Amino acid sequence: MNKPVAFHAFKHGLFDITVLSDGPIALAGEIFAPEASDNQRADVVARMDGADNIADAQSNIPLIVTSNDVILVDVGAGSRFQPSEGKLERNLNAVGVNAGDVTKIIISHARPDHIWGMLRDDGSLRFPNARYYITRAEWDFWMGEKADALLEAVQPFVAGARRDLQAIADRLTFVEDGDEVIPGLRILSTPGHTAGHISIVVDGDVPLIITIDATASHIVSFERPDWSFGFDMDPALARTTRRALIEQALRENAVLLGYHWAYPGVGTVRKDGDSFKLRPVTEAQS
Ligand SMILES: [Zn+2]
């Protein structure tokens, strides 16, 4: 069936943004809500249209186009993590952009679902003309002794991060909190999920904050901001970061874009008692 591919696209300030997808990843309920009771977890899974304690996390990857640049935030998992992923390049092509057109890639953090799409199956760089941006904290973590000391079960993640980071070592620019990648597109340090995890703030009438895994779930991260996400490396720091990020979004009336949220992963937040609710944009608004 040749169904036309329709991606959520919108203008934000000077930027044309299209939310692409690398495809979904199936995750157990314990990843979305480790601290939940069985009933609470079943409710979260059901609200994500999951079943049998498994639900899909999406991989929403913003393509940001300006008059000078074609920018991606993260590169998805390629064909290396789960077979349902690896669709980013095909989806990029579907909106008329070739991998070689991409000029800048911001790497939020070096976990498989965000970085393993770096290389094609033949080992060549998928985006050969891009400059890459990552924090030194993230680089140092995966390249250093702390990653060596991680559990045996996650050593394949360490090996994968090293493979992909080494492949871009001569095309890297280290960034930190407040740095502009281009005017109007700023790094916001949001550590906790990983050591050097970053979000991105895009200037417009109100800010657009691309939160990545600092708010990993469109349900749990807002309604239970003190619960962790199963892959948070430092759950206490991730919790502090998540609260601060959501409070900032409220204060600034920001639009949010989440990597793993139900597609297209764009919404606004409101206060709901002691916690929050995410109000997704509708397709009709695009
Ligand atoms: Zn992730």
Side-chain angles (χ1 to χ4, degrees):
M1 298 268 277
N2 279 327
K3 209 171 110 211
V5 184
F7 294 100
H8 183 79
F10 58 101
K11 203 157 175 74
H12 187 86
L14 299 174
F15 305 91
D16 286 306
I17 300 180
T18 304
V19 184
L20 300 176
S21 170
D22 192 46
I25 339 168
L27 298 175
E30 284 77 6
I31 300 297
F32 293 105
E35 292 100 336
S37 68
D38 289 351
N39 281 344
Q40 289 167 326
R41 192 173 297 129
D43 178 58
V44 169
V45 168
R47 287 172 64 194
M48 297 178 70
D49 297 325
D52 300 328
N53 199 35
I54 301 279
D56 277 343
Q58 302 303 317
S59 301
N60 302 320
I61 297 182
L63 167 70
I64 304 172
V65 177
T66 72
S67 45
N68 296 318
D69 276 301
V70 177
I71 302 169
L72 287 172
V73 181
D74 291 340
V75 294
S79 52
R80 294 183 162 82
F81 191 45
Q82 287 193 5
S84 51
E85 288 192 299
K87 299 190 171 79
L88 174 63
E89 188 174 357
R90 204 181 323 152
N91 288 336
L92 190 66
N93 295 158
V95 298
V97 179
N98 292 317
D101 299 335
V102 177
T103 58
K104 294 182 169 64
I105 294 177
I106 303 168
I107 300 293
S108 67
H109 65 300
R111 276 268 177 69
D113 47 322
H114 299 262
I115 196 180
W116 281 14
M118 190 67 78
L119 301 176
R120 291 215 170 89
D121 290 343
D122 66 5
S124 64
L125 277 178
R126 188 178 307 277
F127 303 101
N129 301 319
R131 185 93 203 147
Y132 294 81
Y133 300 81
I134 193 169
T135 60
R136 186 176 280 284
E138 191 69 7
W139 172 277
D140 285 350
F141 176 84
W142 291 103
M143 291 303 183
E145 288 172 5
K146 283 188 181 156
D148 288 335
L150 292 176
L151 295 176
E152 195 57 41
V154 294
Q155 285 304 321
F157 292 3
V158 176
R162 288 175 178 173
R163 172 197 63 216
D164 293 337
L165 292 177
Q166 267 150 0
I168 54 169
D170 58 350
R171 297 153 189 265
L172 260 186
T173 299
F174 286 121
V175 286
E176 57 187 60
D177 189 54
D179 283 354
E180 281 193 321
V181 172
I182 58 172
L185 202 150
R186 248 181 342 278
I187 301 300
L188 177 66
S189 175
T190 46
H193 179 71
T194 61
H197 183 281
I198 47 174
S199 303
I200 294 104
V201 180
V202 185
D203 285 347
D205 291 340
V206 295
L208 167 72
I209 309 179
I210 301 168
T211 69
I212 315 289
D213 288 2
T215 52
S217 163
H218 59 285
I219 299 170
V220 179
S221 301
F222 294 91
E223 297 176 20
R224 302 280 188 169
D226 295 331
W227 283 0
S228 29
F229 182 57
F231 294 138
D232 288 344
M233 279 189 170
D234 181 340
L237 179 58
R239 188 179 307 131
T240 307
T241 291
R242 184 163 43 248
R243 278 251 176 214
L245 182 60
I246 296 172
E247 293 287 0
Q248 177 180 347
L250 271 175
R251 228 173 24 246
E252 299 179 348
N253 211 12
V255 177
L256 300 178
L257 200 167
Y259 193 88
H260 293 302
W261 305 350
Y263 185 85
V266 182
T268 54
V269 64
R270 66 177 167 80
K271 215 161 167 47
D272 183 37
D274 279 343
S275 62
F276 311 94
K277 275 243 193 279
L278 185 80
R279 187 188 298 123
V281 296
T282 62
E283 285 297 319
Q285 287 174 308
S286 65

